[in-house]
Amino acid sequence: MKEKYITSYDSLTNHLMKFGFRRKNANFYIRESTESLQRFFFTHATHSERFVKYYTIQLKINYPQIESLAREMGLFSYGMAVNIGYLTPNRNFLEWRVAESDSEDYILDIIENMCMNINNYALPYFEKYSTLEGLLKGIENQELQNRLDYRFCQPFLYYLLGDKKRAIDSLDTILKNIKSHSRLMDDKQNYSISSNDHVGHLQNKDLQVYMEFTSKFKDFVDESSDKPQEGSFKV
């Protein structure tokens, strides 16, 4: 490929531009909507092969309102990221092998395949979860496991969508589940011949962190009860 990165090909950039994405730097494209920022990251690995790149496509969605609210409470929110392969029926990590010796036609075929996967899987994914309501529905339907920490995100979403009661109720339910899981881990350790103190420490820390978050969140809701909710945390 002679030092030409996959995103240097106009066919890829032009394809993404058709759907409102603009190129931000060498391997990063972004699209903005009312409630989210959607990104494509084109990255690569060599897997110890000389003159070869294995390209991957990472998708990421950031929610500025959630991130702003998290900052208000001294927390961090990093959005939701996934390799495009996990959105396909195979649900496996997906990459494309390109060698410097490959022909131009072969590389264009690779780009065409990338675009096909973008059309079939990435764009519908962005469409489905680019709004706060879509994200909340995905959490409630357990569609987004391992992609974000719903325990913090779900109360934020209820609050931002104007339902303070469900925000508080979700906190209490999640905290109750964490406590139950923590007790279960303690019981397992007590009956284990070689108990893992490190695991127990992590479980207790997890519980402590969420109890602190619950307290902060409830205080925050009380303090903001007289403030308008819609749009309060937009950036």
Side-chain angles (χ1 to χ4, degrees):
M1 229 171 77
K2 304 201 174 159
E3 312 249 338
K4 193 172 181 182
Y5 209 76
I6 198 77
T7 50
S8 298
Y9 285 83
D10 289 341
S11 56
L12 179 58
T13 297
N14 290 340
H15 183 79
L16 292 173
M17 287 178 64
K18 287 193 301 185
F19 299 99
F21 288 89
R22 69 180 192 276
R23 190 172 176 179
K24 195 75 173 176
N25 59 28
N27 63 347
F28 164 33
Y29 296 80
I30 186 170
R31 180 175 71 178
E32 300 177 20
S33 66
T34 305
E35 297 180 343
S36 68
L37 303 174
Q38 301 131 51
R39 295 177 170 93
F40 283 112
F41 293 91
F42 291 81
T43 60
H44 76 275
T46 63
H47 300 313
S48 300
E49 291 187 59
R50 296 184 65 191
F51 312 117
V52 170
K53 289 183 175 70
Y54 287 83
Y55 287 101
T56 63
I57 304 176
Q58 296 291 121
L59 286 65
K60 187 171 184 181
I61 308 178
N62 288 89
Y63 303 90
Q65 293 179 72
I66 294 176
E67 292 171 7
S68 182
L69 180 54
R71 286 194 300 271
E72 291 265 357
M73 303 181 63
L75 299 171
F76 294 97
S77 176
Y78 298 103
M80 184 168 61
V82 64
N83 175 276
I84 194 171
Y86 292 108
L87 306 180
T88 69
N90 292 331
R91 296 187 182 278
N92 289 322
F93 190 86
L94 181 60
E95 56 188 1
W96 291 263
R97 184 184 186 277
V98 177
E100 287 189 8
S101 58
D102 288 334
S103 69
E104 192 85 356
D105 286 343
Y106 174 81
I107 296 168
L108 291 176
D109 286 342
I110 290 289
I111 292 173
E112 184 177 348
N113 186 263
M114 286 180 168
C115 292
M116 180 193 71
N117 279 276
I118 287 170
N119 290 354
N120 291 341
Y121 307 111
L123 294 177
Y125 176 82
F126 281 143
E127 184 69 23
K128 188 173 185 179
Y129 300 118
S130 63
T131 66
L132 298 181
E133 287 188 1
L135 177 61
L136 179 59
K137 187 174 181 180
I139 292 173
E140 291 177 334
N141 294 338
Q142 298 184 338
E143 299 167 356
L144 301 172
Q145 292 154 326
N146 303 321
R147 293 184 200 165
L148 81 170
D149 195 337
Y150 79 93
R151 299 172 303 174
F152 296 94
C153 194
Q154 191 172 26
F156 287 157
L157 286 165
Y158 284 131
Y159 179 87
L160 289 167
L161 292 170
D163 196 336
K164 292 183 180 180
K165 183 179 184 305
R166 291 194 74 181
I168 299 300
D169 289 346
S170 69
L171 278 174
D172 294 335
T173 299
I174 294 167
L175 182 58
K176 181 180 178 181
N177 291 338
I178 294 174
K179 286 180 177 178
S180 297
H181 185 66
S182 181
R183 284 195 296 269
L184 178 62
M185 292 300 297
D186 287 341
D187 290 342
K188 285 183 178 180
Q189 286 180 293
N190 289 336
Y191 286 99
S192 173
I193 295 174
S194 58
S195 65
N196 188 333
D197 291 337
H198 180 60
V199 172
H201 173 72
L202 290 178
Q203 292 295 327
N204 290 332
K205 184 177 180 181
D206 197 37
L207 175 59
Q208 180 182 351
V209 167
Y210 204 78
M211 288 177 68
E212 292 174 358
F213 168 68
T214 298
S215 177
K216 281 184 180 180
F217 191 93
K218 289 182 176 180
D219 289 344
F220 182 88
V221 171
D222 289 340
E223 291 171 5
S224 62
S225 58
D226 295 328
K227 298 178 183 178
Q229 290 183 47
E230 187 174 353
S232 295
F233 301 103
K234 290 184 180 179
V235 292

